[in-house]
């Protein structure tokens, strides 16, 4: 379900947007009550009417986990649908462990994270950015990179039946299409409302939380994979 990757350059966390960027400087982190203070090592100069951006943290060449995730919605189980969304994009996420082993391991303040990757010529290209919350050391950071260009999903409601008082059976068929030249694994995450159980499924699932089911679907290169499942829900 996870593809390991090496990030060429990761994390520019800035306090303000800027029109002029200074080379990275060292910041020292200091615990202060229930906060963290970040002190610039040295001095910087700001001219009149100038806005300057300083890089708080820059790290390179550490392991990340790449996830393709196809999300459903709890509302899909509450009423009759045909095809709620055609050609729904699959989200792309990077997971990073904020540890010393990964050349990080410091408290990360809330801010914007930018991710770069080298192209075939060796130039660093911005491939995505996201905002993170305050993150202690040794915790996981998840960055949404956007949506996959070549991986799409489509769902069709095959059945929706009321079988008793506040009791329903719903059947879905989800097709994942991969136009990339390599195989991928897509995590299908389905929010489940009420008291639910999976009656049958073409692929094994796991119960992530009280109201969430997940399937891990291998999708071949330039191919497709189909998941079908039927669930019974009591609202």
């Amino acid at each position: 379900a996870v593809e390991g990757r090496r990030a060429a350059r990761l994390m520019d966390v800035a306090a303000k947007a800027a029109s002029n960027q200074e080379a990275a400087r060292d910041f020292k982190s200091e615990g202060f009550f229930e906060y963290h203070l970040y002190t610039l090592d040295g001095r910087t100069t700001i001219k009149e009417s100038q806005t300057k951006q300083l890089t708080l943290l820059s790290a390179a060449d550490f392991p990340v986990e790449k996830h393709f995730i196809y999300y459903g919605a709890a509302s899909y189980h509450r009423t009759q649908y045909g095809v709620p969304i055609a050609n729904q994009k699959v989200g792309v996420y990077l997971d990073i462990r904020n540890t010393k082993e990964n050349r990080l391991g410091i408290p990360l303040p809330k801010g914007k994270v930018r991710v770069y990757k080298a192209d075939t010529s060796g130039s660093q290209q911005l491939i995505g950015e996201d905002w993170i919350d305050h993150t202690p050391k040794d915790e996981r950071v998840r960055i949404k990179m956007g949506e996959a260009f070549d991986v799409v999903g489509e769902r069709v409601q095959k059945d929706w039946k009321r079988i008793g008082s506040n009791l329903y059976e719903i059947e879905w068929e989800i097709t994942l299409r991969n136009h990339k030249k390599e195989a991928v694994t897509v995590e299908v995450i389905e929010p489940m409302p009420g008291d639910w159980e999976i009656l049958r499924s073409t692929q094994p699932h796991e119960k992530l939380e009280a109201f969430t089911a997940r399937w891990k679907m291998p999708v071949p290169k330039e191919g497709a994979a189909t998941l079908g499942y039927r669930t019974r829900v009591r609202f």
Side-chain angles (χ1 to χ4, degrees):
V2 175
E3 294 183 6
R5 292 291 186 269
R6 304 291 293 186
R9 179 168 174 261
L10 183 63
M11 288 200 173
D12 286 332
V13 184
K16 296 174 64 177
S19 59
N20 185 26
Q21 182 174 356
E22 182 173 301
R25 303 283 294 277
D26 291 332
F27 280 81
K28 295 181 179 179
S29 173
E30 174 188 353
F32 181 74
F33 189 57
E34 293 301 315
Y35 307 98
H36 283 273
L37 298 178
Y38 298 87
T39 304
L40 176 65
D41 183 15
R43 301 177 62 182
T44 188
T45 301
I46 301 177
K47 299 178 181 179
E48 184 178 357
S49 301
Q50 180 188 26
T51 301
K52 179 177 290 188
Q53 177 173 302
L54 301 179
T55 299
L56 176 62
L57 170 66
S58 181
D61 297 325
F62 57 83
V64 299
E65 295 178 350
K66 183 180 179 182
H67 297 257
F68 293 91
I69 301 179
Y70 180 81
Y71 279 104
S75 61
Y76 292 165
H77 299 271
R78 295 184 179 275
T79 187
Q80 297 182 41
Y81 282 96
V83 180
I85 302 178
N87 296 326
Q88 180 181 343
K89 297 295 185 181
V90 173
V92 182
Y93 298 80
L94 295 182
D95 279 3
I96 302 146
R97 288 289 179 182
N98 181 23
T99 64
K100 287 185 177 180
E101 291 76 13
N102 288 347
R103 305 183 186 180
L104 295 170
I106 68 169
L108 300 176
K110 183 176 181 179
K112 182 179 290 185
V113 177
R114 297 187 179 97
V115 182
Y116 298 80
K117 184 177 180 179
D119 60 19
T120 54
S121 68
S123 300
Q124 299 291 334
Q125 301 291 341
L126 176 67
I127 59 174
E129 64 182 26
D130 195 10
W131 287 86
I132 64 169
D133 203 349
H134 301 294
T135 305
K137 68 181 182 68
D138 300 324
E139 290 293 326
R140 186 188 71 172
V141 178
R142 169 160 284 187
I143 303 169
K144 183 173 183 182
M145 299 296 296
E147 291 159 341
F149 189 94
D150 295 317
V151 185
V152 297
E154 185 171 86
R155 64 174 64 238
V156 178
Q157 191 182 75
K158 308 296 285 187
D159 194 20
W160 188 89
K161 182 183 297 184
R162 184 176 183 271
I163 61 174
S165 177
N166 299 321
L167 186 63
Y168 302 84
E169 287 188 6
I170 307 98
E171 187 166 336
W172 285 101
E173 182 179 271
I174 297 172
T175 302
L176 301 165
R177 294 186 291 274
N178 175 23
H179 301 280
K180 299 167 72 69
K181 295 186 180 298
E182 64 269 1
V184 299
T185 296
V186 178
E187 299 176 42
V188 177
I189 296 182
E190 297 281 86
M192 297 288 187
D195 183 11
W196 60 276
E197 64 174 317
I198 302 294
L199 300 178
R200 61 178 180 266
S201 176
T202 59
Q203 298 289 336
H205 75 283
E206 58 182 314
K207 188 174 183 178
L208 283 185
E209 300 165 350
F211 301 106
T212 308
R214 178 174 69 179
W215 289 261
K216 296 180 180 180
M217 296 288 297
V219 188
K221 66 177 182 179
E222 298 180 331
T226 300
L227 166 66
Y229 73 91
R230 188 176 185 89
T231 184
R232 180 176 294 164
V233 179
R234 184 184 298 275
F235 297 113

